[in-house]
Amino acid sequence: MQEANAAPVPDAAPAPDAAPAPDGPPVLDEELARNIDAYWRAANYLSVGQIYLCDNPLLKEPLAAAHIKRMLLGHWGTTPGQNFIYTHLNRVIKKYDLNMIYMSGPGHGGPAVVSGTYLEGTYSEVYANISQDEAGLKRLFTQFSFPGGIPSHASAECPGSIHEGGELGYSLSHAFGAVFDNPSLIVACCVGDGEAETGPLATSWHSNKFLNPASDGAVLPILHLNGFKIANPTILARISREELTQLLQGYGWTPYFVEGHEPMPMHEAMAGTLDTCIESIQRIQRAAREHASLERPRWPMIVLASPKGWTGPKIVNGRKNEGSYRSHQVPLTDPAQNPEHLAQLETWLRGYRPEELFDARGKLKPEIAALAPAGERRMGANPNANGGLLLRDLHMPNFGDYAVDVPKPGVAGIGDTHVLGRFLRDVLKLNAQPRNFRLFGPDETVSNGLESVFETAKRQWLAQTTADDDFLARSGQVMEMLSEHQCEGWLEGYLLTGRHGLFNCYEAFIHIVDSMFNQHAKWLKVTAGLAWRRKIASLNYLLSSHVWRQDHNGFTHQDPGFIDHVVNKKAGVVRVYLPPDANCLLSVMDHCLRSRHYVNVVIAGKHPAPQWLSMDAAIRHCTEGIGIWQWASNDSQTDPDVVMACCGDVPTLETLAAVSILRRELPELKVRVVNVVDLMKLQPQSEHPHGLSDLDFDSIFTRDKPVIFAFHAYPWLIHRLTYRRNNHANLHVRGYKEEGTITTAFDMTVLNDSDRFHLVMDAVNRLPQTGSRGDYLKQQLSDKLIEHRHYIERHGEDMPEIRDWTWS
Ligand SMILES: Cc1ncc(C[n+]2csc(CCOP(=O)(O)OP(=O)(O)O)c2C)c(N)n1
């Protein structure tokens, strides 16, 4: 490991900035350097204390086994480097009066963010019992990674955190999302060198092509090159500095290296480099804001190359620890049982000289504490890290103004998302000035039928453009990069800092962010229980180009399983809507955009499809979330013989077509039609706040009549949601069962036994009273299915009676 060195790396294209020359005047005077080092030592001391101690927090007594926690859980390796960063950020925030928050990519370094926010005072303001004294220190140490205490990551419980970092890869995209439309904010984002190997992180360097220096804030990435992951070296640490430099420059950044292990030279190097980076950011922003510079900036970033487990034990059990992957978690694994480990731990802790840092009562000494900024400039108290504080309602147009005229059920529609696009266009227009609503998508906004939004909004794009490009602009409200991870991460960062948004995506490929959705849903669940965290706008998904109408892309594009995944999450935060037509879609989306602290999944079609409900009826139906469609039923005077239920636009069409056959061919049958918009209505009330009571469920689905349920997605989900209901034994569900290819729209339903003919046969099979007439009807429909197959194979399109079918 070298002595500290801060220098811009050799650059093929000249870098706009130069780090301070190593032989120039020092950035830090002696006293400041001493206090910075003391602050860092204090943070390191608190971090080790959190990992190990439950008593004797100021080491007033010799360390004994009784002072050690029984279960040692946490990650030391990344922590001292993050403490170093946090400490130095405090200095630049004060020096330049910055509006800055910190994002911990390797969020497993939870002790660092807890220590940082404790030392600056915010932690004790939020949690009064974790006070700035010996008793508070003891509680701070004990609660970490302890039952009833706090998690070991940069979790929601930690003030200042909007990125738990448990699942690695999303820090930079969260950071960029946070600064879009947030011109005064700088996010200092620590990226783990292991994290940097993940796909999402690797592509997120490109976010700089989407950042407008005039109207957005800035991200300062700090690549933490500590060389190791859990058990391996990192790739970026084992390529030459030249190769790493070229990689980062190739991504459009100007990297500055801060490298070494001797604390005092490292403080000087980090301070000088941070000054250089902040001044560079300010210069870029001034050029864009005051001089209308149109150049795409090469933003600065830092590569901090410091030992993993810096300042920790050098050797443990005869093997290298500091500067090795072995420092990743708890370096001394057994101090309560092993006297050698206990002695090493005491030496380690006393090496930070706590008596110089804290007064006798356990409070950080004032000359050291003075390094931290004050009030909301403290990173733990910055309202951007508690976005609900900044959240303002959207200006919403009246969604009824976009209604499709439905004088009678079954009129032709243009494609539901196309109608929604006009509404979203005006949501974008009305909120262009507050700049607090953006639409995100992986290059599919037009493909998903939302082309109308480009009548008012542009795609933000700072890379090169040609005269032939469409709707690209340096500043815009539509964010399109062909990475579902980036769209998701940007949107989450945008929401977490108090704004609103919508993610539109092909239904099949939203699975790419299954795990990111998981993390966000967990975040919402936990933060909903923290009174000091304000609610944020919901994460809204519009999934289109869905399974049933991917006729031209085929099997790869057919997967409706995201909702199976979503409903696993805590009922309090997830909502799933399948509006059957455009007016219902408008009503649902209006509701979702106004809602708070949920994940709303809305699935809608983009192809021309029949419209069923007038706007008034749609509002009623969507408010109830489920209902009997009396206009399609004939059982109002008596009990039904069969319930024909549907959920999703295509299943609704096929169900109504099936009902028309049943009513024509077996007119004595009493048929009830039920449509489900809000999927969660099916769950018991005890499981989901939207769930129907058993009484209401029985009134809709009956206690004993056959229910033929046509569902948009995999059929087993309906069974999963309803298995406790009275009539579950009579519930027969049709849905997507993994049959698909390039074929006609109707054939997709046939391949999955979800078409009108199969639905009728399903009903007849469960209605013995239809007798011989039922048998003949089934034969007729079986013949029809063969006729269908021959017809589409000859003509390449559906039979006229299918294409031209309308409800009458
Ligand atoms: C997506 C994901 N995969 C795997 C892990 C398990 N994991 C936790 S920490 C870690 C190593 C991280 O290395 P790095 O980002 O360099 O962090 P640091 O060395 O600073 O701890 C791994 C693989 C994870 N948290 N997230």
Side-chain angles (χ1 to χ4, degrees), residues 547-609:
V547 54
W548 298 109
R549 304 304 305 272
Q550 272 292 359
D551 3 306
H552 70 294
N553 281 311
F555 200 34
T556 55
H557 286 52
Q558 293 159 354
D559 193 307
F562 186 62
I563 53 183
D564 293 75
H565 179 69
V566 165
V567 302
N568 289 332
K569 284 289 158 288
K570 209 65 195 171
V573 297
V574 292
R575 307 284 186 265
V576 179
Y577 299 100
L578 294 109
D581 68 5
N583 287 339
C584 290
L585 175 60
L586 286 166
S587 170
V588 162
M589 189 56 75
D590 178 78
H591 171 77
C592 293
L593 292 180
R594 292 171 190 273
S595 72
R596 298 283 184 270
H597 231 68
Y598 298 146
V599 177
N600 296 306
V601 182
V602 181
I603 300 172
K606 65 180 181 183
H607 292 285

Side-chain angles (χ1 to χ4, degrees), residues 105-106 171-172 189-193 195-196 201 205 221-225:
S171 57
L172 260 187
C189 179
C190 177
V191 177
D193 50 354
E195 182 192 13
L201 197 292
W205 297 113
I222 303 171
L223 176 63
H224 192 196
L225 200 69

Side-chain angles (χ1 to χ4, degrees), residues 478-490:
V478 180
M479 305 300 296
E480 293 198 290
M481 174 172 167
L482 210 178
S483 163
E484 285 75 6
H485 289 117
Q486 290 325 294
C487 295
E488 173 83 16
W490 287 345

Side-chain angles (χ1 to χ4, degrees), residues 15 126 150 212 225 339 360 370 395 442 483 511 532 593 633 661 762 769:
V126 174
I150 59 166
N212 184 308
L225 200 69
H395 297 288
S483 163
H511 269 306
W532 60 274
L593 292 180
S633 313
I661 296 171
D762 283 339
Q769 65 267 43

Side-chain angles (χ1 to χ4, degrees), residues 36-96:
I36 285 177
D37 189 61
Y39 203 99
W40 180 47
R41 281 189 282 124
N44 285 339
Y45 180 80
L46 295 187
S47 300
V48 184
Q50 287 179 72
I51 293 172
Y52 285 100
L53 301 186
C54 57
D55 207 348
N56 192 16
L58 290 168
L59 292 184
K60 286 183 175 169
E61 299 166 36
L63 194 61
H67 305 144
I68 311 292
K69 294 193 227 185
R70 286 293 160 263
M71 283 200 301
L72 301 179
L73 305 166
H75 298 82
W76 165 248
T78 184
T79 297
Q82 293 200 53
N83 282 335
F84 183 82
I85 293 167
Y86 202 99
T87 301
H88 278 269
L89 294 175
N90 279 338
R91 185 194 66 86
V92 282
I93 290 171
K94 273 185 79 171
K95 177 170 175 181
Y96 296 96

Side-chain angles (χ1 to χ4, degrees), residues 404-405 410-416 418-419 581-582 606-612:
V404 175
D405 186 27
V411 297
I414 59 167
D416 299 348
H418 296 273
V419 177
D581 68 5
K606 65 180 181 183
H607 292 285
Q611 303 296 299
W612 310 111

Side-chain angles (χ1 to χ4, degrees), residues 75 77-78 106 108 165-168 170 192-196 198 224 226 228-230 234 308 328:
H75 298 82
T78 184
H108 45 276
E167 186 168 285
L168 299 167
Y170 317 132
D193 50 354
E195 182 192 13
T198 65
H224 192 196
N226 62 17
F228 297 94
K229 302 177 291 232
I230 297 178
T234 60
K308 187 149 180 167
H328 182 72

